[in-house]
Amino acid sequence: MSPLFELVERPDLESPVVVLALDGWVDAGLGAGNARATLLGVLDTVTVAVFDSDELLDHRARRPTMHLVDGVNTGLTWPSIELRAASDADGNDLLLLVGAEPDHRWRAFSRAAVDLAMEFGARMVVGLGAYPAPVPHTRPTRLAVATTDPSFISSGPVRATIDVPSGIQGAVERRAHEVGLPAIGLWAQVPHYVSAMPYPAASAALLDGLAELGGLRIDTEALHREAQDTRRRLDALVAGNEEHQHMVEQLEAAADGDAGAGTAQGPGAGLGPGPLPSGDELAAELERFLREQD
């Protein structure tokens, strides 16, 4: 057994899909974080393994929470990394790797996580993430892919050619590829002007993509309702400012151009030679607007 984790339960699973949803890397609009929270909320999970946080995490960067009651320290809640098992409404099995992104021993952690997945007969690994992009909130959320298996890529998802820093999910996906386990990362494109606040449409798109890839049934109705509410609030805000309307129209034209041409390009494609429209002012105004609504 790997010294990096303790096996807690050994459930009987049939070809589970492994879902990677660890905190700590790029997650615009809390797309992956709220997708994970939805999964944990709608599924009954069982803890399969607990990883050694003392070996993997820097507690100065991820400090435990101290619980004080009338000045008495009643305990600490430590950051953790866990592998949990669940089944969807149709009985399809999943393994959810959740918690904090490791600070140390990435190669060893990737080997241990994939060894566990293989031990339970996993059939694929799917990572969830979200990044800010020059896209409008008035169009459906698009997913970009990062995969070790070209057969996963269809004409729909965004496919970029770029060198970027990797999160732990990229390391786990590569390790999965080395042992013959198909792996893919799904990345939701979040409008850059709302990337610092929750954007439910991104979370809904990620879970819908996961369900389609893995042949799963996941309840995303609540997320889609939240996405519609967010869309209405954004529409109301943009309608009150001519400059904001123009920015969104630019983004719409670029998005429609890409879709009409059948292209699947990376962030910024189709915007032309001009600079990326700034969303800082709109984001600040949106925050004020939402506070007033609350």
Side-chain angles (χ1 to χ4, degrees), residues 108-121:
F109 174 79
S110 299
R111 288 193 297 269
V114 172
D115 286 349
L116 270 172
M118 296 295 286
E119 185 175 338
F120 285 100

Side-chain angles (χ1 to χ4, degrees), residues 159-219:
R159 305 185 304 277
T161 300
I162 189 171
D163 293 328
V164 295
S166 175
I168 189 63
Q169 292 182 186
V172 174
E173 290 164 8
R174 284 303 306 172
R175 177 58 183 169
H177 174 72
E178 291 171 2
V179 300
L181 182 60
I184 184 170
L186 297 179
W187 291 85
Q189 292 189 326
V190 176
H192 63 290
Y193 49 89
V194 295
S195 61
M197 59 197 68
Y199 191 67
S203 304
L206 286 171
L207 291 186
D208 289 343
L210 169 63
E212 182 178 355
L213 268 176
L216 305 170
R217 184 149 67 96
I218 301 169
D219 183 2

Side-chain angles (χ1 to χ4, degrees), residues 131 142-145 153-161 189 257-267 269:
Y131 64 89
R142 298 188 70 189
L143 296 179
V145 297
I153 300 179
S154 66
S155 60
V158 176
R159 305 185 304 277
T161 300
Q189 292 189 326
D258 286 348
T263 58
Q265 303 177 47

Side-chain angles (χ1 to χ4, degrees), residues 73-89:
N73 180 351
T74 61
L76 299 176
T77 298
W78 294 85
S80 64
I81 308 172
E82 297 182 0
L83 185 68
R84 300 186 187 180
S87 299
D88 71 0

Side-chain angles (χ1 to χ4, degrees), residues 4-275:
L4 285 185
F5 66 84
E6 177 186 356
L7 196 62
V8 179
E9 295 280 349
R10 192 181 292 276
D12 185 16
L13 305 177
E14 183 177 352
S15 301
V17 174
V18 180
V19 181
L20 307 179
L22 296 166
D23 291 328
W25 189 221
V26 178
D27 190 19
L30 295 179
N34 284 335
R36 178 188 63 242
T38 297
L39 285 174
L40 295 177
V42 301
L43 302 175
D44 292 326
T45 64
V46 175
T47 300
V48 173
V50 177
F51 286 82
D52 188 343
S53 60
D54 280 347
E55 283 288 319
L56 296 170
L57 300 181
D58 177 358
H59 291 303
R60 292 173 301 175
R62 305 174 189 274
R63 296 181 185 274
T65 300
M66 180 172 61
H67 305 288
L68 288 174
V69 178
D70 292 331
V72 178
N73 180 351
T74 61
L76 299 176
T77 298
W78 294 85
S80 64
I81 308 172
E82 297 182 0
L83 185 68
R84 300 186 187 180
S87 299
D88 71 0
D90 295 330
N92 300 300
D93 292 329
L94 301 90
L95 284 169
L96 310 177
L97 187 59
V98 298
E101 181 183 57
D103 296 302
H104 312 293
R105 303 191 64 185
W106 276 29
R107 292 186 180 91
F109 174 79
S110 299
R111 288 193 297 269
V114 172
D115 286 349
L116 270 172
M118 296 295 286
E119 185 175 338
F120 285 100
R123 57 188 169 96
M124 71 169 63
V125 174
V126 181
L128 304 180
Y131 64 89
V135 295
H137 73 277
T138 54
R139 297 294 184 266
T141 300
R142 298 188 70 189
L143 296 179
V145 297
T147 180
T148 58
D149 186 347
S151 66
F152 271 134
I153 300 179
S154 66
S155 60
V158 176
R159 305 185 304 277
T161 300
I162 189 171
D163 293 328
V164 295
S166 175
I168 189 63
Q169 292 182 186
V172 174
E173 290 164 8
R174 284 303 306 172
R175 177 58 183 169
H177 174 72
E178 291 171 2
V179 300
L181 182 60
I184 184 170
L186 297 179
W187 291 85
Q189 292 189 326
V190 176
H192 63 290
Y193 49 89
V194 295
S195 61
M197 59 197 68
Y199 191 67
S203 304
L206 286 171
L207 291 186
D208 289 343
L210 169 63
E212 182 178 355
L213 268 176
L216 305 170
R217 184 149 67 96
I218 301 169
D219 183 2
T220 59
E221 288 186 13
L223 277 177
H224 281 287
R225 287 195 299 269
E226 292 176 23
Q228 291 171 1
D229 184 57
T230 300
R231 165 68 189 271
R232 286 191 292 268
R233 292 184 174 196
L234 287 169
D235 286 345
L237 177 64
V238 171
N241 185 294
E242 185 176 344
E243 184 179 345
H244 296 165
Q245 292 179 41
H246 180 63
M247 182 192 73
V248 172
E249 288 168 359
Q250 281 186 293
L251 296 173
E252 288 175 338
D256 294 344
D258 286 348
T263 58
Q265 303 177 47
L271 282 178

